[in-house]
Amino acid sequence: MPSQTTEPNGPSPPDGPLQGPQKPLKDFKQVSSSLPFGQSIALSEIAGPTYLTAQTLIEQVAYTLSDRLWAYSPDTFDLDTAVKQWCREGLTNAHGYKTSVESMQTRIGAASIALGYIFSKDFDLKRRYIPQTILASSSSLQYLRTALDQLSLLYSVASPFVAHIAAVDYVGGSLGGLVTDYVSAMTFAEELGFAVVSSSSAHESQHMSLLATLFASVVPTFHLYDGVRIGRETTRIVDVLDQVGLNSAYGAISKAASVSWSRKTNLDAKVIDILNAFNDELGSVYGLFEYQGHATPDSVLVVFGTAESSIASQVALSLERDGAKVGVLNVRVYRPFIEEEFIKALPKSVKSIGILGQVPDRQAVSDASIRSNLYGDVLAAITFTDEFATPPYTIDIKYSREQVWTPVTIAAAFQLLVKKPVLQPGNKDGKAGEYSSLQLLDPEAFQQYTFWDLDDSPSVDASIVVGQALAKDSAQNVTSKSVHDNLLQGGVVRTDIRKSKKVIDACYSVDAADTVFIGDDSLLKHIDVLNGLKAGGKIVIKLPGIKDDDLEKKLPVGFRKDLQAKGNHLYILDPHAIQSVFEDETWQTYLTQIAFLRVAVPSLERVGIQKLASINGNLEQFENLAKDLDKALRRIEVPDSWSQIEPETAFPTLPSDITANSFEPFLKSEPEPPTFLKTWETAARGLVFKEAFSTTPSLRPDQSVKTYSVHVSENRRLTPPTYDRNIFHVEFDLGTSGLKYDIGEALGIHAENDPEEVAQFMKFYNLSPDAIVEVPSREDPDVLINRTIAQSLTQNVDIFGRPPKRFYEALSEFATDPSQKKELLTLGGPEGANEFKRRAEVDTITYTDVLAEFPSARPAFHDLVRIINPMKRREYSIASCQLVQPTTVALMVVVVSWVDPQGRDRFGQATRYLQRLTPGTRVTVSVKPSVMKLPPKSTQPLIMAGLGTGLAPFRAFVQHRAWEKEQGKEIGQVLLYMGSRHQREEYCYGEEWEAYQDAGVITLLGRAFSRDQPQKIYIQDRMRETIGDIIDAYMKREGAFYLCGPTWPVPDVTNVLEDAIVLENSLAGGSKRRVDPRREIERLKDAGRYVLEVY
């Protein structure tokens, strides 16, 4: 049984009050993890030695030297946070004016706006030689491809162009998360002829951003850097150039490098000249390729990438000190890959070369036929040089984007090149098959700390504040880095802090912490937190209200055993032991900060408290907490009995780290917008006193899209009345609406609620139908419109829709019955998750049902529409071609209906609305663009696969091809595959398809009726039966493939296409290179020849 020690936990708080100015209570909040310590920074403060992130430095260079910035930053990536702030503040760049910063959506055709600006006839020629810049992630490159391809072709007449690419993407699946993606940029650069420069650490990020911008004067350039970890680590950078210094260096280097250039000077020579001038100006020693390690190595590892280069260099030097004849050759400039410079940098004693090359995924790692990009360049350089009497042996050490590099895994890569073991296996806690850790940091010179916490914990920001406080010591260097795993325990955050008088370059997780803080004991069941704590280190666990007698039961058996075995010191922090903290849990962050100082760095507690108070809280508060800390913090003597475990006891194998899958905590609740709901009097005042109420006339401001009024001309059922699926065809007469639509577009139906059900609800809720209220528009909730209650319930308020969890929570505020209030809160909270899921998915409860179930919760109508979602329009693929049917538009719709557990008939709101429409009824519609576009040439074949109502857009496609044939145009093959359950009941438009086939428009009709025979036949089976026709139409004749319908057949259908690609390639014999079918599908997707519209 553990016992509380009587000895103190470190130095007692100093006698008397701590000196310092009193300040009001400050609340520390992170703005973005891409900023230093999560805090905004002024552009003028980026100079000299200061704490920064690589991302901030890259943005500083981009803002200072660019004419315009286009940012393609996915949500939460925050690649443009700093530049947007500086732009809002109106700060000028090195050219004397404000840099234009445009945050753009990442979608097909991205960067076209940048291209249009550069080549606009209105472009200011005075800015011809000022760089244009893109900030983006590697995940965005596929969408930038078309514009960048055009830029590459026109670069001789374009402005300098540089793209700072954060090598980060998100991979789904059980092992997914944020991954470091270099291979996408490397592949794009090779195909497009771009230069590629990489930063190997945050300390180089400003220099490499500047170098990439200089390269852009002669070749479009990518600056590539680790966007997952290093780009967001806060660290102290000593030699930071301010705006003036950047501009001065840029001008001087540009001038010095180009002095000797002539028309005959090739790109390689210009790149070398720029780098040499760069080194001369800044006093640096950068190279295209940089070697570190043994002077005469037998084995060399060639690497590219931020973490890879940094860690590999340190590991090589460590192994060299141990006598290993190894080295590492870092590729700083990947493109152009100047082979002569590579051979010059490679030691001539080398006998074996390992190329650490990234490939797209784990499957590519195991596929022996796939080589990494870097391997191909190195192999070519070695093959065509005569510098070696015996060419070195080369090995492609492939790794996937998911790989997280540590000193141990880099050492394992070296192990593939040498025979002598570089690490001793099996001596890590006695576990066989594991390698010992490789400590690159001197424990006497470096202190390391790790904080683990839930992301909604009151103390979650304590680690960032502690890091910032430690950084206030000018004699020390500090690094701070946080990682989020939003899929574990509802959100877990890990923060690593390192401190040293030496420069810190360690882009990997702390693996030998001096002190570890655990903010929630539940983490001990999911993470091996002791794995990253050094032997004899200290661990602090926050356990509110815990008693010593209950502690052993609270701690997992495996944790207790390892704690005792490693000789770690255990501290318990009980925030409930201090009354002020118990009453206000937000004070837990201040208590955590002081407790950490006392346990981890007791000698700094006195001055540390003043530094903490300058960041958050106030000095008086910290003084009082420090005096009471002994009540909450106690050291626990770890008994020997904790290591005495029954032999048959099984311990779960826990991960030692979390998976980074986000840059910020998961948003667990959405803030409720304020209500602006008023009465008819508001509208009257606005109309009478227009100037006082800023009233401006506007035609339907509630509509975010252009709407049209059309009339039903036909509504007929396509399936038999006795069949359980009601698929129907509805046509609208366009009349004088002016509606125009294109092939493949969708028609938005602005449906209405059933008038009878609306009347019943108004009677139930005792509402006056003609009362006028102000309600949010169904198209834009920020736009308020005045309507009668009957109109709002019919056309605006989704009163018969399914309520989200937040509705239950919001409704609980109006419940007067305590038991009903409690139940509503439960349904709206995490503990009611299972019941909420049953209600939503099984019972299909509506807002109306909930209001009837909880009669004491009766909000006023103004409050009710605030907490109920507005109705949304529903889009349906258009099943007609306007060239063929110029005055009508057609839809193919299936009624969504079911019977709930209470025996009530339920319907989809929009499909029931459409199904009940009679000829002549007026309907409000809109048009939505779609990805379903015909190929540019009428001779290109169409391969279409539609399931159920997924045939709708293909009816339009076929009508269009038939029209082209009637006009005398040559049309390509049309292969139509359709899937449904039964031919007799669901052969929708069957006579039309056969007529088009007889007319020579449809060349192949692949019908898959899954339940008309004993064995199931699906659409992919019909495709596989006719794979020869697909090869001819798709591959040989450059056709386009389309799939429309549910998502489930996508993998199987795609497999057929991949098999067709492989088969076509094999039939070509040796005339074609071996292709990767998945990569080929991606290429076809980018070219608009593989199009999915699934739901």
Side-chain angles (χ1 to χ4, degrees):
M1 187 66 63
S3 61
Q4 183 175 339
T5 61
T6 56
E7 59 186 86
N9 302 317
S12 299
D15 296 329
L18 295 174
Q19 298 301 312
Q22 298 303 305
K23 295 183 179 180
L25 191 67
K26 294 182 293 297
D27 187 22
F28 177 88
K29 293 294 182 184
Q30 289 199 70
V31 177
S32 169
S33 62
S34 68
L35 299 170
F37 296 115
Q39 305 299 291
S40 299
I41 184 169
L43 184 58
S44 59
E45 292 177 3
I46 303 179
T50 189
Y51 280 90
L52 295 162
T53 61
Q55 182 63 45
T56 307
L57 278 171
I58 291 165
E59 292 181 59
Q60 179 229 13
V61 174
Y63 191 89
T64 298
L65 298 179
S66 303
D67 171 42
R68 282 202 175 191
L69 275 172
W70 291 273
Y72 295 89
S73 176
D75 289 344
T76 78
F77 280 27
D78 291 352
L79 303 179
D80 55 357
T81 302
V83 292
K84 286 193 295 187
Q85 173 197 332
W86 301 330
C87 182
R88 285 194 302 266
E89 294 171 353
L91 303 181
T92 58
N93 57 24
H95 314 291
Y97 56 87
K98 183 179 75 172
T99 303
S100 173
V101 177
E102 299 182 48
S103 296
M104 311 300 295
Q105 292 182 343
T106 304
R107 58 185 181 184
I108 296 297
S112 297
I113 186 173
L115 206 64
Y117 172 74
I118 295 173
F119 295 106
S120 168
K121 62 180 181 180
D122 299 323
F123 182 73
D124 186 351
L125 294 180
K126 295 178 181 178
R127 303 183 182 184
R128 164 71 173 79
Y129 298 102
I130 299 176
Q132 311 295 337
T133 302
I134 280 180
L135 300 172
S137 68
S138 52
S139 61
S140 306
L141 286 176
Q142 58 180 317
Y143 303 103
L144 303 173
R145 170 64 187 261
T146 302
L148 296 184
D149 195 4
Q150 296 179 48
L151 176 67
S152 179
L153 296 173
L154 301 171
Y155 202 65
S156 61
V157 293
S159 296
F161 172 82
V162 60
H164 300 284
I165 305 297
V168 56
D169 196 358
Y170 186 88
V171 174
S174 58
L175 299 177
L178 294 169
V179 297
T180 305
D181 177 17
Y182 298 112
V183 64
S184 296
M186 295 170 76
T187 302
F188 271 77
E190 181 178 1
E191 294 173 351
L192 301 179
F194 278 41
V196 180
V197 181
S198 75
S199 301
S200 62
S201 73
H203 300 275
E204 299 177 352
S205 57
Q206 188 189 49
H207 283 182
M208 290 305 103
S209 299
L210 174 59
L211 181 62
T213 309
L214 288 160
F215 281 170
S217 64
V218 295
V219 59
T221 303
F222 286 160
H223 169 222
L224 199 54
Y225 61 98
D226 179 353
V228 178
R229 294 179 182 272
I230 295 177
R232 293 170 181 267
E233 180 180 72
T234 299
T235 190
R236 191 186 193 201
I237 312 293
V238 177
D239 53 349
V240 179
L241 297 171
D242 60 10
Q243 276 194 295
V244 174
L246 277 174
N247 188 41
S248 174
Y250 180 81
I253 296 168
S254 298
K255 182 177 181 180
S258 59
V259 167
S260 60
W261 291 352
S262 66
R263 291 185 178 181
K264 296 182 180 180
T265 307
N266 62 28
L267 176 61
D268 290 359
K270 290 181 178 179
V271 166
I272 294 173
D273 287 343
I274 291 173
L275 182 59
N276 289 337
F278 187 92
N279 287 330
D280 290 342
E281 177 68 22
L282 299 182
S284 53
V285 289
Y286 298 116
L288 302 177
F289 307 93
E290 299 165 0
Y291 175 79
Q292 294 188 67
H294 198 280
T296 56
D298 293 329
S299 304
V300 168
L301 195 64
V302 179
V303 299
F304 175 87
T306 307
E308 294 86 334
S309 298
S310 176
I311 301 175
S313 298
Q314 296 176 58
V315 170
L317 293 173
S318 176
L319 295 178
E320 182 210 2
R321 288 193 292 269
D322 293 337
K325 299 183 70 175
V326 298
V328 61
L329 188 59
N330 291 325
V331 180
R332 181 172 297 284
V333 179
Y334 172 67
R335 280 289 180 271
F337 192 93
I338 304 178
E339 296 181 0
E340 296 81 1
E341 296 297 314
F342 174 81
I343 296 299
K344 187 186 300 183
L346 186 66
K348 303 306 177 286
S349 61
V350 64
K351 297 181 176 61
S352 61
I353 300 174
I355 297 92
L356 208 60
Q358 192 182 75
V359 290
D361 50 41
R362 294 183 177 93
Q363 185 172 344
V365 173
S366 58
D367 189 340
S369 64
I370 297 177
R371 298 294 188 183
S372 68
N373 298 44
L374 186 57
Y375 177 80
D377 293 304
V378 173
L379 183 63
I382 295 297
T383 302
F384 295 107
T385 185
D386 55 3
E387 291 291 326
F388 300 94
T390 303
Y393 168 73
T394 57
I395 177 174
D396 193 5
I397 306 175
K398 297 182 294 182
Y399 67 96
S400 68
R401 300 184 304 166
E402 293 87 347
Q403 175 71 50
V404 177
W405 290 106
T406 66
V408 170
T409 53
I410 288 289
F414 274 110
Q415 188 66 75
L416 298 174
L417 302 176
V418 299
K419 296 180 180 179
K420 182 180 177 182
V422 295
L423 290 177
Q424 298 301 319
N427 63 345
K428 180 185 178 184
D429 300 335
K431 298 177 183 177
E434 295 189 6
Y435 288 102
S436 62
S437 61
L438 181 62
Q439 293 299 323
L440 301 179
L441 303 179
D442 181 1
E444 298 297 324
F446 292 84
Q447 290 77 52
Q448 304 182 89
Y449 315 106
T450 298
F451 289 75
W452 299 93
D453 213 339
L454 300 182
D455 63 20
D456 57 359
S457 164
S459 58
V460 68
D461 286 331
S463 57
I464 306 298
V465 176
V466 166
Q468 194 171 2
L470 294 175
K472 288 181 177 293
D473 182 354
S474 60
Q476 297 284 341
N477 293 303
V478 173
T479 64
S480 175
K481 176 70 178 76
S482 295
V483 174
H484 291 270
D485 186 340
N486 288 349
L487 302 182
L488 180 66
Q489 288 290 94
V492 175
V493 60
R494 169 183 180 157
T495 301
D496 285 339
I497 298 174
R498 290 183 169 98
K499 180 171 73 78
S500 177
K501 292 183 178 181
K502 297 182 178 181
V503 174
I504 304 172
D505 186 8
C507 52
Y508 49 89
S509 297
V510 168
D511 55 6
D514 296 274
T515 303
V516 168
F517 173 81
I518 310 297
D520 193 284
D521 64 286
S522 64
L523 298 174
L524 303 178
K525 301 175 183 178
H526 299 275
I527 307 168
D528 182 6
V529 297
L530 295 178
N531 183 277
L533 179 63
K534 71 179 184 181
K538 303 172 183 178
I539 182 168
V540 182
I541 305 176
K542 188 174 70 175
L543 284 168
I546 192 68
K547 296 181 180 179
D548 287 350
D549 291 344
D550 300 326
L551 182 59
E552 185 168 326
K553 299 176 185 177
K554 197 74 172 174
L555 303 177
V557 175
F559 174 82
R560 299 199 308 262
K561 176 180 178 294
D562 290 346
L563 186 74
Q564 204 282 335
K566 294 184 69 170
N568 295 133
H569 304 289
L570 175 63
Y571 294 81
I572 299 300
L573 180 64
D574 179 4
H576 289 181
I578 300 178
Q579 185 67 25
S580 58
V581 182
F582 177 72
E583 293 174 352
D584 186 352
E585 68 173 12
T586 61
W587 283 38
Q588 288 190 25
T589 185
Y590 312 129
L591 183 66
T592 299
Q593 295 163 29
I594 300 171
F596 172 83
L597 288 180
R598 186 168 295 185
V599 173
V601 281
S603 61
L604 298 180
E605 181 178 342
R606 181 184 180 90
V607 66
I609 285 176
Q610 297 187 37
K611 292 177 179 179
L612 292 172
S614 69
I615 301 169
N616 64 167
N618 62 39
L619 189 55
E620 181 181 2
Q621 178 189 39
F622 275 97
E623 287 178 345
N624 293 333
L625 286 176
K627 293 175 182 178
D628 291 340
L629 185 58
D630 281 327
K631 299 177 184 178
L633 179 67
R634 61 187 189 269
R635 180 177 171 183
I636 303 299
E637 192 69 38
V638 178
D640 294 339
S641 59
W642 281 10
S643 65
Q644 298 168 7
I645 307 299
E646 295 295 332
E648 62 274 12
T649 303
F651 302 110
T653 301
L654 301 177
S656 59
D657 205 349
I658 56 177
T659 300
N661 50 44
S662 180
F663 292 122
E664 62 180 34
F666 175 69
L667 184 61
K668 298 177 176 63
S669 63
E670 298 180 9
E672 290 288 346
T675 176
F676 298 102
L677 305 177
K678 301 167 187 174
T679 67
W680 65 269
E681 296 171 346
T682 304
R685 292 193 190 100
L687 291 172
V688 175
F689 307 105
K690 294 182 179 180
E691 292 184 4
F693 286 85
S694 301
T695 303
T696 56
S698 177
L699 181 61
R700 294 307 304 274
D702 58 305
Q703 299 291 350
S704 59
V705 296
K706 183 175 177 56
T707 58
Y708 307 87
S709 289
V710 298
H711 294 81
V712 179
S713 59
E714 181 183 7
N715 194 341
R716 61 184 169 90
R717 181 161 176 161
L718 299 175
T719 55
T722 56
Y723 191 51
D724 61 355
R725 298 189 77 214
N726 181 357
I727 302 176
F728 61 96
H729 171 92
V730 59
E731 281 194 16
F732 302 96
D733 183 359
L734 304 181
T736 59
S737 66
L739 187 151
K740 302 291 183 183
Y741 63 93
D742 204 350
I743 294 294
E745 292 186 327
L747 192 71
I749 300 296
H750 299 243
E752 298 179 358
N753 282 323
D754 181 78
E756 292 184 6
E757 292 185 349
V758 169
Q760 291 173 8
F761 177 77
M762 288 190 294
K763 183 178 180 180
F764 157 72
Y765 218 72
N766 195 26
L767 296 169
S768 173
D770 297 328
I772 297 178
V773 291
E774 192 175 57
V775 296
S777 160
R778 62 187 290 172
E779 301 302 327
D780 184 354
D782 293 330
V783 175
L784 303 176
I785 57 178
N786 289 277
R787 320 213 72 182
T788 67
I789 286 181
Q791 287 175 324
S792 65
L793 289 173
T794 303
Q795 301 175 347
N796 292 83
V797 185
D798 195 18
I799 191 68
F800 305 114
R802 297 186 189 181
K805 291 191 74 171
R806 65 175 180 272
F807 174 72
Y808 291 91
E809 183 180 2
L811 188 62
S812 68
E813 298 178 8
F814 302 95
T816 57
D817 183 287
S819 62
Q820 291 185 13
K821 185 180 187 73
K822 181 179 179 181
E823 186 174 354
L824 285 167
L825 284 171
T826 300
L827 289 168
E831 63 273 20
N834 292 334
E835 173 63 13
F836 171 79
K837 184 177 181 181
R838 182 188 66 78
R839 285 169 160 266
E841 299 179 2
V842 179
D843 296 341
T844 58
I845 295 293
T846 67
Y847 289 103
T848 305
D849 294 330
V850 177
L851 291 169
E853 183 182 356
F854 299 94
S856 80
R858 191 62 63 93
F861 187 73
H862 291 159
D863 292 315
L864 188 64
V865 296
R866 175 178 62 84
I867 62 177
I868 294 179
N869 290 332
M871 294 165 62
K872 300 293 184 183
R873 66 181 181 275
R874 300 290 188 269
E875 276 96 11
Y876 299 89
S877 296
I878 294 175
S880 58
C881 170
Q882 198 164 21
L883 290 172
V884 178
Q885 301 177 216
T887 62
T888 61
V889 61
L891 301 179
M892 178 189 187
V893 184
V894 59
V895 173
V896 179
S897 62
W898 68 97
V899 178
D900 71 11
Q902 298 182 36
R904 297 176 297 182
D905 290 328
R906 298 288 203 181
F907 300 92
Q909 186 252 1
T911 58
R912 181 170 68 161
Y913 169 76
L914 285 169
Q915 183 253 336
R916 290 181 171 183
L917 292 175
T918 57
T921 305
R922 186 184 68 82
V923 179
T924 301
V925 300
S926 56
V927 177
K928 180 185 178 183
S930 169
V931 295
M932 305 287 281
K933 301 293 185 184
L934 283 169
K937 299 178 182 178
S938 61
T939 54
Q940 286 182 263
L942 305 179
I943 305 98
M944 302 172 290
L947 282 82
T949 55
L951 284 171
F954 302 143
R955 183 173 183 262
F957 278 28
V958 173
Q959 284 184 355
H960 187 271
R961 278 292 164 92
W963 177 84
E964 288 182 317
K965 186 177 176 68
E966 288 182 359
Q967 304 304 309
K969 292 184 179 180
E970 181 185 356
I971 63 171
Q973 300 162 285
V974 176
L975 284 64
L976 177 62
Y977 298 91
M978 62 180 66
S980 59
R981 293 185 292 183
H982 303 285
Q983 179 171 359
R984 188 171 68 88
E985 289 85 3
E986 288 189 70
Y987 190 23
C988 299
Y989 303 125
E991 293 181 356
E992 288 188 27
W993 305 134
E994 293 174 5
Y996 283 125
Q997 189 175 31
D998 293 341
V1001 177
I1002 295 178
T1003 50
L1004 189 154
L1005 193 56
R1007 295 164 290 196
F1009 301 105
S1010 60
R1011 302 183 187 180
D1012 278 354
Q1013 58 283 314
Q1015 74 281 10
K1016 298 286 182 66
I1017 296 179
Y1018 296 109
I1019 198 167
Q1020 62 266 24
D1021 301 315
R1022 293 301 188 212
M1023 291 177 63
R1024 197 169 293 281
E1025 291 171 1
T1026 57
I1027 197 168
D1029 297 282
I1030 292 176
I1031 290 174
D1032 180 60
Y1034 196 33
M1035 309 309 300
K1036 295 182 179 179
R1037 300 180 187 271
E1038 297 187 342
F1041 173 79
Y1042 305 87
L1043 173 64
C1044 185
T1047 57
W1048 64 263
V1050 171
D1052 295 320
V1053 167
T1054 305
N1055 284 340
V1056 175
L1057 297 179
E1058 290 177 348
D1059 290 346
I1061 292 169
V1062 172
L1063 183 58
E1064 193 272 340
N1065 189 72
S1066 65
L1067 292 174
S1071 62
K1072 284 192 174 184
R1073 61 179 178 82
R1074 192 180 188 282
V1075 297
D1076 179 350
R1078 287 171 301 159
R1079 184 175 293 181
E1080 185 66 12
I1081 288 291
E1082 289 298 319
R1083 186 189 68 80
L1084 292 167
K1085 185 185 298 183
D1086 292 339
R1089 292 177 54 203
Y1090 173 87
V1091 182
L1092 305 181
E1093 188 165 275
V1094 293
Y1095 38 84

